Amino acid sequence: MQNTVAEIAARVDQLVELCRRLSEENRSLRQSQEQLASERAGLIARNEQARARVEAMIGRLKSLEQNQA
């Protein structure tokens, strides 16, 4: 009986440690996810800015082309 209780206690200790490690890993993954989401938002903003500049250049080129014609 005491062996069984000791085995259960050892198993509970293992599960507690596993929960602690998983919790830490989860926290780390959430932090990484937040950082990646922030980086993604920045890249999307930069992409939109670049798109706007390219569209403005195309508009100016078309305007120059029409003025020369």
Side-chain angles (χ1 to χ4, degrees):
M1 178 78 170
Q2 222 163 14
N3 247 0
T4 305
V5 171
E7 289 172 0
I8 292 172
R11 184 68 178 143
V12 167
D13 288 343
Q14 290 174 348
L15 290 173
V16 167
E17 177 60 20
L18 177 61
C19 286
R20 187 198 62 76
R21 285 195 329 256
L22 289 174
S23 179
E24 177 61 28
E25 182 180 352
N26 191 23
R27 185 195 62 75
S28 178
L29 289 171
R30 286 182 190 272
Q31 187 177 29
S32 294
Q33 182 182 18
E34 288 175 13
Q35 181 182 359
L36 290 171
S38 176
E39 288 176 17
R40 182 178 184 273
L43 290 171
I44 288 171
R46 287 176 51 198
N47 189 28
E48 289 300 319
Q49 290 171 350
R51 183 188 327 272
R53 287 195 306 267
V54 168
E55 288 175 358
M57 282 190 277
I58 290 171
R60 288 193 299 269
L61 288 172
K62 285 182 180 180
S63 175
L64 285 173
E65 186 178 81
Q66 288 174 356
N67 288 341
Q68 289 179 355

